[in-house]
Amino acid sequence: GMVMAVFTPRALPVVFKVIRDRFAEPKDSVRADIEGKYRLVARRDRVGRLVEAQEFRRLRFTRAAFEPGMLDELLAECADTVSAEASHGDLGMMAQGDVVLVRHCYVERRLRPLDLYARERPEAEARRAVLDYGQAITDLARSGIFPGDLLLKNFGVSRNGRALFYDFDELCLLEEVNFRSMFLRIPLRRGCDRCGWGSYSCHGFTRITRISPRRTVAQGQSGAARQKQIQNKKPVQGPMPTLASARSA
């Protein structure tokens, strides 16, 4: 990933996540921000939807445990955290670089990414997993957490078929997020009942509104009523906003 370098032992169902020294664009976070996200998750109720991450310091591995490409990436991209050093044992000093020292990392149980799971599994299983992905977002919102990055690859499927979120670098509290309206352009299609073709002059734009679950409950407005309100609004012409949500200042 852009923030973490991840490796996994073949014999253990866990992954080790190491923060990179520099983050690729468009990430604008720093190491302290990422560590703060993990502390937030550790101290809150995860409602069965956030994978548990255990924090470790100064772990040592034998160099032979790593594939050469993975080790090269760790030493190059995570040099502030990972280094190769000599080891001391009963036979005295061993060869320089025989041991790999990881000064800080997070350990999580290994999950199958949801985007891969949905392509690999039978349709019925994939459908259940994707529907549970939607339920996971709802459960997190009810607990006051917004995942931030909702891509399928940031969710994993447990051995029991449960969708869990494991990419915490964009996670934040729901109260820290502004939910804005965006407009989804309807693609052209033939056979429109009104215009016979499906032109934009007929269909315009469809409004999709992202709102906080707390705000919906506070207003006493059901999902059906909200949808009816959206449909009754006039189509808006003009450029389509690309920003769906942003953090408040």
Side-chain angles (χ1 to χ4, degrees), residues 16-68:
F16 294 81
K17 305 176 71 171
V18 182
I19 301 176
R20 297 183 184 274
D21 297 343
R22 292 170 296 278
F23 305 151
E25 295 290 344
K27 299 290 184 180
D28 57 358
S29 304
V30 296
R31 174 183 291 270
D33 297 330
I34 305 305
E35 293 177 351
K37 304 293 186 183
Y38 278 81
R39 284 193 297 270
L40 172 64
V41 171
R43 294 170 182 172
R44 288 187 68 91
D45 183 358
R46 294 186 295 275
V47 297
R49 293 299 187 175
L50 298 174
V51 69
E52 183 178 8
Q54 299 289 339
E55 186 175 12
F56 287 87
R57 297 185 184 272
R58 300 192 65 81
L59 293 182
R60 285 181 168 84
F61 302 87
T62 61
R63 189 184 188 98
F66 292 88
E67 292 183 353

Side-chain angles (χ1 to χ4, degrees), residues 12-249:
L12 297 175
V14 297
V15 296
F16 294 81
K17 305 176 71 171
V18 182
I19 301 176
R20 297 183 184 274
D21 297 343
R22 292 170 296 278
F23 305 151
E25 295 290 344
K27 299 290 184 180
D28 57 358
S29 304
V30 296
R31 174 183 291 270
D33 297 330
I34 305 305
E35 293 177 351
K37 304 293 186 183
Y38 278 81
R39 284 193 297 270
L40 172 64
V41 171
R43 294 170 182 172
R44 288 187 68 91
D45 183 358
R46 294 186 295 275
V47 297
R49 293 299 187 175
L50 298 174
V51 69
E52 183 178 8
Q54 299 289 339
E55 186 175 12
F56 287 87
R57 297 185 184 272
R58 300 192 65 81
L59 293 182
R60 285 181 168 84
F61 302 87
T62 61
R63 189 184 188 98
F66 292 88
E67 292 183 353
M70 183 73 249
L71 183 56
D72 290 344
E73 180 180 348
L74 289 172
L75 295 175
E77 301 291 335
C78 310
D80 292 343
T81 306
V82 181
S83 62
E85 62 178 22
S87 62
H88 299 267
D90 296 337
L91 299 179
M93 184 71 74
M94 297 180 67
Q96 181 70 25
D98 182 71
V99 169
V100 176
L101 173 64
V102 180
R103 297 181 183 86
H104 180 256
C105 70
Y106 298 96
V107 180
E108 301 173 0
R109 60 171 159 153
R110 186 169 58 208
L111 303 172
R112 191 62 175 164
L114 180 55
D115 59 328
L116 300 180
Y117 184 93
R119 290 199 296 264
E120 298 167 350
R121 306 301 296 177
E123 181 179 351
E125 294 182 22
R127 184 184 298 273
R128 282 195 298 269
V130 172
L131 290 175
D132 195 53
Y133 153 78
Q135 185 62 48
I137 297 173
T138 301
D139 293 343
L140 289 172
R142 287 172 175 166
S143 70
I145 292 178
F146 181 63
D149 196 340
L150 301 179
L151 296 177
L152 293 184
K153 68 177 184 178
N154 295 326
F155 287 77
V157 182
S158 70
R159 62 178 180 271
N160 297 322
R162 188 171 179 83
L164 301 174
F165 186 65
Y166 56 70
D167 191 346
F168 303 151
D169 55 272
E170 295 290 343
L171 179 144
C172 60
L173 297 178
L174 199 61
E175 62 197 33
E176 299 173 347
V177 181
N178 293 327
F179 291 83
R180 301 177 180 177
S181 298
M182 68 179 184
F183 300 93
L184 179 65
R185 192 186 296 271
I186 300 177
L188 293 174
R189 60 184 177 86
R190 295 177 182 272
C192 173
D193 294 335
R194 288 182 292 174
C195 65
W197 182 258
S199 65
Y200 289 123
S201 60
C202 173
H203 291 277
F205 298 89
T206 295
R207 177 187 292 270
I208 297 178
T209 304
R210 294 182 177 182
I211 56 176
S212 163
R214 291 179 179 175
R215 180 180 172 188
T216 303
V217 173
Q219 293 177 342
Q221 188 178 50
S222 67
R226 178 62 181 172
Q227 183 64 27
K228 184 177 180 180
Q229 177 185 350
I230 293 172
Q231 292 174 351
N232 290 337
K233 290 187 177 181
K234 295 181 180 180
V236 178
Q237 304 294 336
M240 178 170 53
T242 57
L243 185 62
S245 63
R247 290 187 177 84
S248 58

